[in-house]
Amino acid sequence: MEATADKSATPPAGGDLAGAPRARPGSGDGGMLGGLRKVKRFTFVDVVLWLLRIGVAFVVIGGAIGTLIKGRYEASQWVDFVVFGLTIGGVYALLALGYTMVYGILRQINFAHGDTMMAGAFSAYFAANYFKRNGMLESDAVIAMVVTVLVAMIVCTLVALTVERICYRPFRHVRSLAPLICAIGASFFIQHTFRAMYGSTVRSFPDTSWLNGDVSLLGGSMPVTQVLVIGSAAAAMLVLYLVVHKTRMGKAMRAVSEDRDAAAMMGIDINRVIVFTFTLGASMAGIGGILYMLVYKQVYFFMGFLPGIKAFTAAVLGGIGNIPGAMFGGIFLGLVESVGPALFLDGLGVPAPYQLKDAIAFTVLIMVLVFRPEGLLGERRAKRA
Amino acid sequence: MSFEIVSSGFQHRQRTGTPLSQALKTGIVFGVLSLYLALVGVYLTFDKSWVVVNVLSMGRTLLFVVPLLAGVQFARLNRSQSRAVQLGGTLLVGLIVGGFTACLLPVILFGNLRVMFVALSSPLAKMLALGLTPVLGAAVLVAGSAAAALFGALLTVMSPTVRRPITVGLAALAVVALLQEVLQLILRGGGAAFSFITRGLFQYGGLTVRGAIIVFVAAALVSIVVARLRAPFKARFAELPPGAARFLRQAGIVILLAAIIFFPLIGGSFVAQVFLLVGLYALMGMGLNVEVGLAGLLDLGFVAYFAIGAYTIALLTADSPHALASMSFWAALPIAVLVSVAFGFLFGIPVLGIRGDYLAVATLGIGEIVRVLVLSDVAQPLLGGAQGILNIPSPAIGSFELATPTSLYFLTVCCLALATYFAFRVQDSRLGRTWMAMRDDEDVAQALGINLVKTKLLAYSIGAAFAGVAGAIFAVMLKSIFPHSFQLLISINILALIIVGGLGSLGGVIVGALVLIGLPELLREFGEYRFLLYGAVIVAMMRLKPEGLWPARIRRRETADA
Amino acid sequence: MPDALLRTVNMTKRFGGLVAIDSLDLDVLPGTIHSVIGPNGAGKTTVFNCIMAFLAPDKGEIWFDGERIDGLTPDRVAASGISRTYQNLRLFRNVSAIENILVGMHLHLRTSWWSAVLSTRANREEEREAHREAERLLHFVGLRGRGDVLARNLSYGDQRRLEIARALATRARLIMLDEPAAGMNPRESRELMVFIRNLRDERGLTVLLIEHHMQLVMNISDRITVLDHGQKIAEGLPDEVKNDPVVVEAYLGTRKRHPAEHA
């Protein structure tokens, strides 16, 4: 939106207050088509936005050059960064799917999605601990993990459906900020429920032998956890893609996200589709929660907030409402966040660049919302409001 | 397309079912609520305080308040049913709620869920069993729940002349019991006459039996008397010439305001501290209200301006290696406000083109970037990093230092009064109308010649100014500041308080701050659950009373229309 | 012939592959009622949206009173003297009727926000005068005494009137009305006809009108432009347009397109 700062350009003449018409100014305006003056103006808003672009570009380019000249990092370190970026990016992608699908259907941000993930991670933590105690986590790892994942998915679904029921369903026919505010409240409520139940201590996923160690892959070695996380995230996304594109319900979902009213007229039960969408998104969040817990080894009540916002960023990056876009956005953000501090900030002489990892993610968020709200991948659903 | 802040008109109406299905539904909803309260530890926490010392703990009261509310709810939904249906349904509701709660007993005693739910401990079992054996206790619990539900239903259907004294009496009892600590503190400070009252009503830790009866009876009597006098008084009031009536009403408001404003003088420094916080939050609420309530810009990064005000004061006045100057507070205050305004303006520019829910996330991002930067090593040499900035001197007038909570409270009240006046004038001006137009429909507003850039930036800047003042006072209140004081939490708290008060309503901001900031500070039992409460309150208000406790002018007029 | 007040030159707007407006040249003469008609989807509202700068045309120029206005923001287009109403009523619903009009008067109120804070004399006088003018406008559109009602609580017809009053409040010289008679009964349409004539004759305004109500259009228009699929297919006096075979075909379609006509 180009907006101009000064409005003095064509001040309406005072006129008398009865609203009588203004006299037309003399028509000696020298030929209508004669003047080729530039109409669009460069305002201070544009200046600030350009400064923002230039600033970010400077950090990215200047920092990268600086870092590469300094050569503080070896190739293997860069590989590590990239692999970690892929790992965490996979988790973001899983979460972003939930945002993007719900947005596609409801045109609303599910603000409590990160906390849904947190609930799933907590339940998975307890399930895994149970299996740890009876030894199954070691002896029958596959069964134990499958059950753990199922538990997380079910808990996430319950939480998400409750949120849908309380915060979104009542407001479905009004375009307002009410559902968003409601969901902010719900997010807060879920967080502090878990704090009240489990305290604010940080817990960690039980230790297992099969999670430690490295696997050798493509001539290098990678920690098992990361291989596992990347693999599971990819598998989950593949399943989701198939569900959305091959099942009846998935087709209904896509129809509703194209045009809700038309879909309703074609006999699609909107309520069922919405419930299905939230279920799918929450299941992905459940898996994402477990994987996040495996990566960062911690579970606590506030853990959903940051990945939630970042996953939302990923969803917008990929073009909100666009499922492959969310996957791409997640990976992209994971890489930027993982490689960024070393690549962009270290070269500028920033001390302890990894402290600013979240600031990088938030900068990406703001840049994409300001400059490309339709996402990096083209123009699907570009029009808002 | 317009973004209405609060939903209006169409809401999903729930289908009403048969009385039986409603009884089941109500019972289950409130039963789950009871389980929830047990799981998050509310029952146990409240069991430590007394309604009546050594007789009735708050936790046990709450145990029966839940089925009571369930009874009220069921009776409300089934007003038109026959007495038998009402009675049977209410009993069923009470039994279900009690049954849900009682189920916890075997779970605690025989199950092994303690690893998961810390609250499911043997003290909770003891409490739920009401000090009896588990079996007997469970029976009493269920029966008591049914009785409580019946009582609630009875209250709902009985005639208001009987109901009012009872509810007023019970409410007074609840308020006195909850506030007993503060009340005792205040009364003790009040000399011989008050200490007589204190001894009559309280003992250490709460009300005595005699005290509880006195409070209940006194409140009930007052309510009866008021009910009797109300009609003749109203008639008299209506006969007054309009000028006099208006004068009386205004005088009433002034007296009430004065009472609230000067209350901390009687209440001592603890109360003053609480009111100081209320004032600071109200000040920030005024700012966010300009952005969200008037201009419709949902800003979740609002805490940044609060932080900027505080850090500016710290940098300009503190006796610390990070300080840039050693000004007096009064010289630094206008600078702090200007810096906040400048940042409000600056942060406003990139988000000018972002609307609705995207705006909320974008501003949240800005707030978080500020917090991360302040915490980081990059800004450490300038802003002190996580260790913050210490030794901020108190403001002084001549040789009098505003160091006590009471004096700072009055400083806050002055700023708040100014801010309120400011907001009051602006909201009815051309600018205020422009904001409201933009809130209702941005495109149309622009097509009427409104410069959105200017209008939005003014909203951000004015909002930031109020938050900057609050931050400045906050800095001298704590005498040191740390980045951890400026979390997203604060933004959400402020959002919650303006929603509770009523978006776009100036009176609502004060009411919201009193309710959401004041009460939890005064009630220590709530301390642990206050954020839980905020979340619940936001959701509940948006669903049940989106216009808030003190609706904005325009909404009140609308209810008058209807 | 006098210079056109509003002139579009070669204006083109595409949505993806769809050409909504195709090289439209439109001249609206001052002091006339100029109607734009055409079947649904012909691009009429898009023309309004492009003029008001809600949409940026892909090609072409828009001139108003000798100034080029394409590329401006909507607020500056409004400031140059154009105002409009909307097909699907877009009032400020949560605000009272009189405040809707006051918002419309934004452009010619001069005192700043801090003079409102200080409650200066100039500000108070301007506000008083503005309220008076708003009352006059309410009276003019027949909403006298309804100023304090919330816009959304007004009846449908009253909301239409209020929207016109709000558009007039900007003191625009060109008023664009987008289907003002939609949903009105015959009596109300006749009243509207008189009202629109008054805009031209008493207030000296130029009116650009989109309307489906043919009787109304034919009765009051000084000039009519017919659009179909974004192209201008005819233009002229009402009688010329009415009898133009191209227009008849666009409206009724060929027999192939509308087999229902056989019945």
Side-chain angles (χ1 to χ4, degrees):
Chain A
M1 177 177 317
E2 285 80 32
T4 41
D6 70 339
K7 43 175 240 153
S8 59
T10 340
D16 70 356
L17 282 157
R22 282 167 46 186
R24 275 196 72 217
S27 48
D29 38 33
M32 231 179 190
L33 306 175
L36 265 175
R37 73 187 164 81
K38 194 164 163 50
V39 186
K40 205 162 163 178
R41 294 226 186 150
F42 204 67
T43 64
F44 76 95
V45 174
D46 299 320
V47 174
V48 171
L49 292 183
W50 270 106
L51 284 179
L52 194 62
R53 284 190 183 101
I54 293 167
V56 170
F58 170 76
V59 169
V60 168
I61 297 167
I65 293 172
T67 304
L68 296 178
I69 289 175
K70 264 200 232 166
R72 186 191 290 174
Y73 299 95
E74 293 166 22
S76 69
Q77 280 172 304
W78 288 117
V79 172
D80 284 350
F81 289 147
V82 168
V83 171
F84 186 79
L86 287 177
T87 314
I88 196 68
V91 178
Y92 292 157
L94 282 179
L95 283 173
L97 288 169
Y99 282 104
T100 236
M101 287 190 296
V102 167
Y103 197 94
I105 302 277
L106 289 183
R107 301 288 186 275
Q108 296 281 354
I109 300 172
N110 180 4
F111 202 86
H113 194 61
D115 304 294
T116 307
M117 176 210 102
M118 179 269 295
F122 255 103
S123 46
Y125 161 82
F126 285 114
N129 256 329
Y130 172 79
F131 291 120
K132 170 84 177 172
R133 275 196 308 279
N134 70 11
M136 275 176 73
L137 198 57
E138 296 292 342
S139 56
D140 301 287
V142 175
I143 297 175
M145 280 318 285
V146 166
V147 174
T148 305
V149 169
L150 282 179
V151 167
M153 284 164 75
I154 290 168
V155 169
C156 281
T157 304
L158 287 179
V159 172
L161 291 185
T162 314
V163 169
E164 192 271 328
R165 189 70 199 237
I166 292 177
C167 301
Y168 290 100
R169 192 170 294 187
F171 302 108
R172 203 178 288 161
H173 301 274
V174 273
R175 187 166 178 81
S176 84
L177 288 176
L180 179 72
I181 296 177
C182 229
I184 292 172
S187 150
F188 216 58
F189 182 78
I190 297 170
Q191 277 170 22
H192 287 275
T193 295
F194 276 77
R195 198 182 80 145
M197 290 201 291
Y198 307 118
S200 44
T201 50
V202 176
R203 301 148 185 251
S204 55
F205 195 77
D207 215 21
T208 58
S209 56
W210 50 265
L211 264 181
N212 297 322
D214 294 323
V215 279
S216 48
L217 208 74
L218 306 171
S221 80
M222 271 168 73
V224 176
T225 331
Q226 295 190 357
V227 177
L228 189 73
V229 169
I230 295 176
S232 328
M237 283 189 271
L238 184 68
V239 170
L240 179 103
Y241 193 81
L242 291 178
V243 168
V244 172
H245 282 266
K246 300 288 175 207
T247 64
R248 266 177 68 87
M249 215 47 196
K251 278 189 192 128
M253 228 176 100
R254 282 182 293 146
V256 173
S257 83
E258 283 298 327
D259 187 332
R260 191 159 79 198
D261 296 333
M265 274 187 275
M266 300 307 287
I268 293 175
D269 182 347
I270 305 287
N271 270 339
R272 270 186 60 198
V273 172
I274 291 175
V275 165
F276 180 74
T277 309
F278 270 86
T279 307
L280 267 188
S283 308
M284 292 297 129
I287 300 171
I290 296 178
L291 300 183
Y292 191 76
M293 185 165 63
L294 290 180
V295 174
Y296 281 110
K297 306 258 186 288
Q298 43 186 311
V299 191
Y300 62 108
F301 74 98
F302 201 57
M303 68 182 280
F305 173 72
L306 276 181
I309 300 295
K310 288 177 186 171
F312 172 74
T313 310
V316 183
L317 267 174
I320 199 143
N322 178 346
I323 290 177
M327 302 178 189
F328 158 80
I331 305 285
F332 179 86
L333 188 70
L335 284 174
V336 169
E337 189 186 288
S338 161
V339 178
L343 187 58
F344 308 141
L345 297 181
D346 212 0
L348 296 175
V350 173
Y354 270 86
Q355 286 177 339
L356 297 181
K357 161 169 91 73
D358 295 338
I360 290 182
F362 286 124
T363 309
V364 173
L365 167 71
I366 290 168
M367 296 301 284
V368 69
L369 284 180
V370 172
F371 295 112
R372 223 179 145 75
E374 72 275 21
L376 298 181
L377 291 188
E379 288 167 41
R380 292 185 57 179
R381 260 182 261 305
K383 269 253 165 266
R384 285 187 40 76
Chain B
M1 233 31 59
S2 74
F3 260 105
E4 288 181 11
I5 286 284
V6 193
S7 78
S8 54
F10 197 94
Q11 276 226 356
H12 221 69
R13 293 262 166 255
Q14 293 196 331
R15 261 170 275 132
T16 47
T18 61
L20 177 67
S21 71
Q22 275 186 356
L24 288 175
K25 206 171 136 195
T26 315
I28 291 172
V29 167
F30 280 85
V32 169
L33 173 68
S34 180
L35 284 184
Y36 176 83
L37 290 178
L39 284 181
V40 296
V42 168
Y43 282 149
L44 212 50
T45 312
F46 278 67
D47 205 34
K48 296 188 187 96
S49 349
W50 298 106
V51 176
V52 182
V53 176
N54 292 335
V55 178
L56 188 59
S57 78
M58 275 188 199
R60 278 185 198 171
T61 316
L62 204 55
L63 214 48
F64 295 104
V65 166
V66 175
L68 188 147
L69 292 178
V72 170
Q73 169 73 3
F74 178 76
R76 273 204 183 150
L77 292 174
N78 294 283
R79 256 181 223 284
S80 51
Q81 302 290 340
S82 73
R83 285 274 180 260
V85 171
Q86 287 179 336
L87 181 74
T90 313
L91 272 179
L92 184 60
V93 168
L95 289 175
I96 295 174
V97 177
F100 264 80
T101 321
C103 275
L104 282 172
L105 272 171
V107 169
I108 297 170
L109 295 175
F110 306 112
N112 187 19
L113 288 177
R114 190 77 213 273
V115 259
M116 250 175 87
F117 298 105
V118 188
L120 297 185
S121 57
S122 53
L124 180 67
K126 218 179 274 168
M127 186 224 144
L128 289 178
L130 306 166
L132 307 165
T133 63
V135 178
L136 190 60
V140 174
L141 183 63
V142 174
S145 296
L150 266 186
F151 180 60
L154 200 63
L155 272 183
T156 316
V157 295
M158 70 176 40
S159 92
T161 42
V162 190
R163 177 176 62 212
R164 195 173 293 128
I166 298 179
T167 45
V168 168
L170 288 177
L173 193 58
V175 168
V176 172
L178 284 169
L179 293 176
Q180 58 89 11
E181 209 175 331
V182 187
L183 283 178
Q184 288 206 49
L185 207 73
I186 297 170
L187 290 173
R188 289 247 162 75
F194 286 113
S195 78
F196 171 72
I197 300 177
T198 320
R199 261 183 283 124
L201 298 180
F202 297 108
Q203 70 182 75
Y204 179 73
L207 283 165
T208 57
V209 178
R210 187 178 52 177
I213 294 172
I214 292 176
V215 168
F216 178 80
V217 172
L221 281 179
V222 168
S223 133
I224 291 172
V225 172
V226 167
R228 278 279 160 75
L229 291 182
R230 176 177 266 177
F233 186 78
K234 266 203 168 155
R236 191 79 78 68
F237 194 77
E239 281 166 20
L240 286 173
R246 206 175 60 214
F247 174 77
L248 276 183
R249 199 172 296 134
Q250 284 173 348
I253 292 174
V254 168
I255 291 172
L256 190 72
L257 259 180
I260 293 176
I261 289 173
F262 291 105
F263 181 62
L265 277 184
I266 324 166
S269 74
F270 170 66
V271 176
Q273 178 68 40
V274 172
F275 271 66
L276 171 53
L277 269 183
V278 171
L280 287 180
Y281 272 92
L283 200 49
M284 287 192 274
M286 283 289 164
L288 192 61
N289 187 50
V290 167
E291 291 183 25
V292 184
L294 299 183
L297 306 164
L298 184 50
D299 186 348
L300 291 183
F302 193 67
V303 64
Y305 311 128
F306 179 59
I308 287 163
Y311 266 94
T312 312
I313 286 287
L315 288 176
L316 292 179
T317 68
D319 179 18
S320 122
H322 298 291
L324 303 173
S326 55
M327 293 186 189
S328 79
F329 174 78
W330 307 112
L333 182 63
I335 300 178
V337 175
L338 280 181
V339 174
S340 301
V341 168
F343 274 96
F345 192 82
L346 199 67
F347 291 163
I349 291 174
V351 298
L352 278 172
I354 306 179
R355 291 186 185 188
D357 39 7
Y358 273 27
L359 177 67
V361 183
T363 48
L364 183 150
I366 291 180
E368 285 295 295
I369 290 179
V370 170
R371 193 180 59 84
V372 172
L373 281 182
V374 171
L375 259 172
S376 71
D377 286 0
V378 186
Q380 204 270 340
L382 188 65
L383 301 175
Q387 281 75 45
I389 301 177
L390 313 175
N391 295 327
I392 302 169
S394 301
I397 303 174
S399 61
F400 177 70
E401 251 191 37
L402 301 177
T404 61
T406 318
S407 52
L408 283 175
Y409 164 71
F410 282 108
L411 174 63
T412 312
V413 168
C414 292
C415 294
L416 181 59
L418 265 177
T420 312
Y421 177 77
F422 191 99
F424 172 73
R425 298 239 58 122
V426 169
Q427 82 172 4
D428 273 338
S429 73
R430 181 165 75 124
L431 178 61
R433 286 195 299 265
T434 322
W435 281 337
M436 280 187 275
M438 193 171 75
R439 184 189 68 193
D440 269 16
D441 196 326
E442 219 175 282
D443 296 332
V444 175
Q446 199 181 16
L448 289 171
I450 289 171
N451 183 330
L452 293 181
V453 174
K454 193 175 150 194
T455 313
K456 284 186 178 180
L457 289 181
L458 265 173
Y460 287 121
S461 306
I462 293 175
F466 293 177
V469 177
I473 301 176
F474 183 77
V476 292
M477 177 184 96
L478 287 187
K479 298 194 167 47
S480 48
I481 50 170
F482 312 97
H484 295 289
S485 312
F486 307 105
Q487 290 179 352
L488 174 71
L489 208 69
I490 309 248
S491 298
I492 307 262
N493 289 357
I494 304 168
L495 181 66
L497 82 87
I498 63 174
I499 284 169
V500 167
L503 282 170
S505 148
L506 301 181
V509 173
I510 315 258
V511 172
L514 278 171
V515 172
L516 278 198
I517 309 298
L519 281 185
E521 289 285 335
L522 289 178
L523 310 173
R524 268 198 323 179
E525 294 82 5
F526 275 105
E528 218 172 304
Y529 300 104
R530 63 190 295 173
F531 298 122
L532 198 62
L533 187 77
Y534 289 172
V537 155
I538 293 180
V539 176
M541 288 305 285
M542 288 322 276
R543 286 292 304 273
L544 306 174
K545 206 168 160 35
E547 73 279 11
L549 293 178
W550 181 319
R553 184 177 48 98
I554 203 77
R555 296 201 165 267
R556 260 186 284 161
R557 181 158 59 207
E558 174 198 4
T559 37
D561 276 354
Chain C
M1 196 168 102
D3 269 349
L5 181 65
L6 177 83
R7 166 174 289 176
T8 70
V9 183
N10 200 18
M11 183 166 82
T12 302
K13 177 71 196 170
R14 290 190 203 88
F15 295 116
L18 178 83
V19 183
I21 309 174
D22 193 356
S23 319
L24 178 68
D25 295 323
L26 185 69
D27 279 11
V28 180
L29 300 180
T32 60
I33 297 175
H34 191 131
S35 295
V36 178
I37 63 172
N40 281 324
K44 303 182 298 282
T45 299
T46 309
V47 172
F48 274 22
N49 283 337
C50 285
I51 295 171
M52 206 68 231
F54 281 8
L55 297 170
D58 295 308
K59 251 200 332 228
E61 296 165 4
I62 306 173
W63 293 78
F64 180 73
D65 195 18
E67 307 258 343
R68 186 151 171 204
I69 58 167
D70 54 315
L72 294 180
T73 50
D75 52 314
R76 295 191 49 211
V77 174
S80 71
I82 303 180
S83 186
R84 70 171 288 190
T85 67
Y86 302 84
Q87 189 179 347
N88 47 344
L89 285 170
R90 287 174 80 172
L91 286 166
F92 304 121
R93 292 161 46 75
N94 302 312
V95 174
S96 67
I98 196 152
E99 280 171 311
N100 265 281
I101 298 182
L102 286 170
V103 171
M105 291 164 59
H106 174 84
L107 273 172
H108 45 266
L109 298 185
R110 282 276 146 264
T111 55
S112 61
W113 58 274
W114 41 264
S115 68
V117 172
L118 300 174
S119 190
T120 60
R121 196 176 8 183
N123 179 65
R124 271 177 291 151
E125 264 167 22
E126 187 184 76
E127 283 288 305
R128 213 174 304 135
E129 200 44 61
H131 272 88
R132 229 172 278 155
E133 187 184 341
E135 292 286 355
R136 272 198 291 268
L137 275 168
L138 277 176
H139 183 59
F140 181 66
V141 299
L143 287 175
R144 185 180 206 168
R146 311 223 58 193
D148 279 339
V149 182
L150 281 194
R152 68 150 166 248
N153 293 344
L154 288 171
S155 71
Y156 180 78
D158 285 353
Q159 292 196 15
R160 284 243 171 252
R161 292 162 198 270
L162 179 59
E163 212 183 31
I164 296 176
R166 185 180 67 184
L168 291 177
T170 63
R171 294 191 198 156
R173 282 170 293 152
L174 173 69
I175 298 268
M176 306 196 291
L177 303 176
D178 197 343
E179 296 197 24
M184 284 192 172
N185 62 33
R187 194 176 59 83
E188 286 172 324
S189 309
R190 276 196 300 278
E191 284 172 12
L192 182 73
M193 207 147 71
V194 177
F195 179 77
I196 295 176
R197 276 208 192 101
N198 276 345
L199 291 182
R200 177 190 61 189
D201 299 340
E202 288 178 19
R203 302 211 148 206
L205 296 175
T206 307
V207 179
L208 184 58
L209 178 72
I210 293 179
E211 188 48 71
H212 276 302
H213 191 302
M214 275 310 132
Q215 202 189 347
L216 187 141
V217 171
M218 293 302 164
N219 264 321
I220 63 171
S221 303
D222 296 315
R223 205 169 173 78
I224 297 178
T225 301
V226 189
L227 291 187
D228 189 25
H229 294 98
Q231 278 172 330
K232 179 157 88 178
I233 56 170
E235 188 169 60
L237 301 173
D239 284 337
E240 297 167 15
V241 165
K242 208 177 340 186
N243 301 320
D244 190 328
V246 185
V247 177
V248 176
E249 191 194 300
Y251 262 91
L252 299 179
T254 57
R255 296 198 174 261
K256 215 166 72 191
R257 265 197 276 167
H258 282 280
E261 260 184 76
H262 286 296

